[in-house]
Amino acid sequence: MAHASDGQVLEFKLPDLGEGLTEAEIVRWLVEVGDVVAVDQPVVEVETAKAMVEVPCPYGGVVTARFGEEGTELPVGAPLVTVAVGEVDGAEDAAADGPARGTGAAEAPAAKTPAAEKKAEGSGNVLVGYGTSEAPARRRRVRPDRPAATGVSGRANGRVRAAGPVDGPVRAAEPADGPVPVISPLVRRLARQHDLDLRELAGSGPDGLILRADVEYALRAAAAQGGRTADQEAGAIRVPDAASASSGAFSAPSAGPHPDGTRVPLKGVRGAVADKLSRSRREIPDATCWVDADATELMRARTAMNASGGPRISLVALLARICTAALARFPELNSTVDTEAREIVRLDRVHLGFAAQTDRGLVVPVVRDAHARDAEGLTAEFARLTEAARAGRLTPGDLTGGTFTLNNYGVFGVDGSTPIINHPEAAMLGVGRIVPKPWVHEGELAVRQVVQLSLTFDHRVCDGGTAGGFLRYVADCVEQPAVLLRTL
């Protein structure tokens, strides 16, 4: 993952972020060349197919080079930064007096001190949350007289600084008139794929925020005008005209104007979701059953809980508590199938996933050991993971390892669904919207709060009787929450 060259400069490479991820896109650099970093201090924010991750560097010292611009996709094992380890003062002297030699990494003339060797050891941990507890040192800027490495060495306020010769073309620096009002990495990527200068667009979002619709509108407008060319330092924008497009001269494998529509690459979160759902459909013989339930008493119970003081209890937390109780009675549904061994693996612990729709797409954060949490604990964990999902800060660990999924599609205003199982799990409980409906209650017609529940399950792990028993127990708990008192 990282190795030391001759001298004091260590190279830190993009680590394996887990779950078979082979590449990541640089979203934002958190340090610049010349900054002093501490062991396990985050140096770059990257986006994978799973989540946005801050990557900490296992070395402490002075950053001598950065590799890759914001928006660049790097494979696992590619260099991220080089760090000159040692005391800060010694690093400053080395940066000021030591000439740069070699390509790709700089060498410092001073010998390693014991303190440098200690810092060079680092913690060996590279994911946020797995590092040492040491607080990051205050960053100090060191201005080296000469570039220390080959490649892109820095980017600040839209400016790209090249530290030496670079193989291939280098994209032109952006104008230094303030940051571009863009939040979404997908918007930047779409503009970059078509060499569109975002500074030329007027955003339609809040405070002039540039949205994906603004970029797509600009591309359509350019195509309608027969082509649009704006010279840049690294090349020119080229939009195919109607003649070349109709003659087949233009064939774009990525998103862009096309006579038959717009092509959207299956990459990032969308690509990961597509792969996982396709695999689920190929491998899992699923079936779905439904039941309507009177949720009036559950809603009253929640109101009573929240009226008694203390943290407010969410509805999804109560549904999760019902799920864990049902899985304790029907453990066949908390399992997975080992296709190679032709075995069903029943799992002892419930790691409950819940479907969450975000601006980046569908994600399924996982509540660890949900069976061991009460309603308050579940509420707090749901809130934490939901906020992290909306902010794009979920780690790969937050998104993996689920054993059962709760899908509350009622938030979209729909009653029912036949969801696709989250492979390699064996089942998913779906919850529709809770709405007032006519219902026979105690022999009389009344207006009650009714919800539709659905269970999609892997028919390899159980038969319909088990699935029906699970769903009926869930419905009984929704209709009569006191049923849960047996297992509390």
Side-chain angles (χ1 to χ4, degrees):
M1 187 182 336
H3 62 82
S5 61
D6 295 336
Q8 290 183 294
V9 176
L10 303 179
E11 182 179 84
F12 174 51
K13 298 181 180 181
L14 178 65
D16 182 357
L17 300 175
E19 289 299 308
L21 301 175
T22 59
E23 62 184 14
E25 178 181 332
I26 297 174
V27 175
R28 181 168 60 100
W29 283 104
L30 305 178
V31 297
E32 297 182 17
V33 172
D35 283 353
V36 176
V37 296
V39 173
D40 282 338
Q41 177 179 329
V43 295
V44 65
E45 183 179 54
V46 301
E47 180 182 24
T48 71
K50 295 285 187 181
M52 301 272 275
V53 179
E54 288 185 352
V55 181
C57 179
Y59 307 121
V62 179
V63 177
T64 58
R66 303 187 318 189
F67 297 89
E69 298 182 44
E70 293 175 357
T72 302
E73 284 192 356
L74 297 178
V76 170
L80 272 180
V81 295
T82 54
V83 178
V85 300
E87 298 296 336
V88 172
D89 293 337
E92 291 176 350
D93 295 338
D97 302 328
R101 293 178 295 174
T103 60
E107 299 182 4
K112 276 189 179 180
T113 64
E117 293 177 354
K118 182 178 179 181
K119 285 190 176 184
E121 292 175 0
S123 69
N125 298 322
V126 294
L127 287 179
V128 174
Y130 293 81
T132 63
S133 58
E134 177 186 358
R138 184 173 182 179
R139 287 158 52 179
R140 295 179 56 187
R141 184 64 49 80
V142 180
R143 299 289 185 184
D145 290 341
R146 298 179 180 86
T150 299
V152 176
S153 64
R155 181 181 183 124
N157 298 327
R159 293 181 178 176
V160 179
R161 301 192 301 273
V166 180
D167 295 334
V170 178
R171 183 172 298 279
E174 298 174 351
D177 54 355
V180 179
V182 178
I183 295 178
S184 171
L186 300 180
V187 172
R188 291 184 181 274
R189 182 185 302 173
L190 182 60
R192 185 172 62 254
Q193 288 171 341
H194 297 87
D195 291 326
L196 182 63
D197 187 355
L198 289 172
R199 296 185 185 277
E200 298 180 0
L201 302 185
S204 60
D207 299 323
L209 183 68
I210 297 177
L211 308 177
R212 178 172 182 171
D214 299 325
V215 176
E216 292 175 342
Y217 177 81
L219 294 174
R220 288 195 299 268
Q225 294 171 1
R228 176 176 177 272
T229 302
D231 292 337
Q232 298 176 333
E233 292 180 19
I237 298 175
R238 292 186 178 87
V239 179
D241 56 25
S244 62
S246 61
S247 64
F250 172 73
S251 178
S254 59
H258 190 278
D260 298 328
T262 301
R263 293 177 179 267
V264 180
L266 280 174
K267 299 175 62 178
V269 173
R270 186 75 261 159
V273 170
D275 293 341
K276 194 159 194 176
L277 296 183
S278 297
R279 183 178 182 183
S280 178
R281 276 295 191 220
R282 287 194 307 269
E283 295 186 8
I284 300 179
D286 58 353
T288 303
C289 50
W290 298 267
V291 66
D292 288 341
D294 180 2
T296 305
E297 296 303 322
L298 180 65
M299 301 299 287
R300 288 176 178 172
R302 176 174 177 258
T303 300
M305 291 179 188
N306 292 333
S308 63
R312 293 183 62 83
I313 305 300
S314 67
L315 179 60
V316 70
L318 295 179
L319 294 171
R321 185 66 188 86
I322 292 173
C323 275
T324 58
L327 289 172
R329 295 173 64 96
F330 300 91
E332 298 92 337
L333 294 169
N334 192 51
S335 62
T336 186
V337 176
D338 186 339
T339 54
E340 293 185 1
R342 293 185 61 82
E343 294 176 342
I344 297 172
V345 182
R346 292 185 181 173
L347 306 169
D348 297 329
R349 302 161 70 182
V350 178
H351 300 316
L352 187 67
F354 64 99
Q357 192 69 38
T358 70
D359 292 340
R360 299 178 63 242
L362 178 68
V363 294
V364 184
V366 177
V367 177
R368 304 283 171 185
D369 295 319
H371 61 287
R373 300 175 186 261
D374 58 16
E376 286 188 3
L378 288 168
T379 297
E381 187 66 1
F382 276 121
R384 183 188 72 83
L385 291 171
T386 299
E387 178 61 27
R390 290 172 178 169
R393 300 293 183 184
L394 290 172
T395 67
D398 292 329
L399 293 165
T400 55
T403 64
F404 186 92
T405 296
L406 174 63
N407 189 352
N408 181 20
Y409 43 75
V411 297
F412 300 117
V414 297
D415 296 323
S417 174
T418 56
I420 300 175
I421 295 174
N422 187 22
H423 185 280
E425 298 171 12
M428 176 184 294
L429 178 68
V431 182
R433 60 177 180 164
I434 301 176
V435 293
K437 287 186 178 180
W439 190 267
V440 177
H441 176 65
E442 297 180 350
E444 296 182 357
L445 187 63
V447 176
R448 306 285 285 183
Q449 299 293 320
V450 179
V451 61
Q452 184 180 95
L453 306 170
S454 66
L455 177 70
T456 299
F457 64 99
D458 185 341
H459 227 313
R460 296 174 297 178
V461 304
C462 68
D463 296 324
T466 300
F470 174 93
L471 190 59
R472 186 63 257 171
Y473 179 79
V474 171
D476 290 344
C477 290
V478 168
E479 293 183 339
Q480 303 176 42
V483 173
L484 279 176
L485 292 177
R486 289 180 175 270
T487 58
L488 293 180

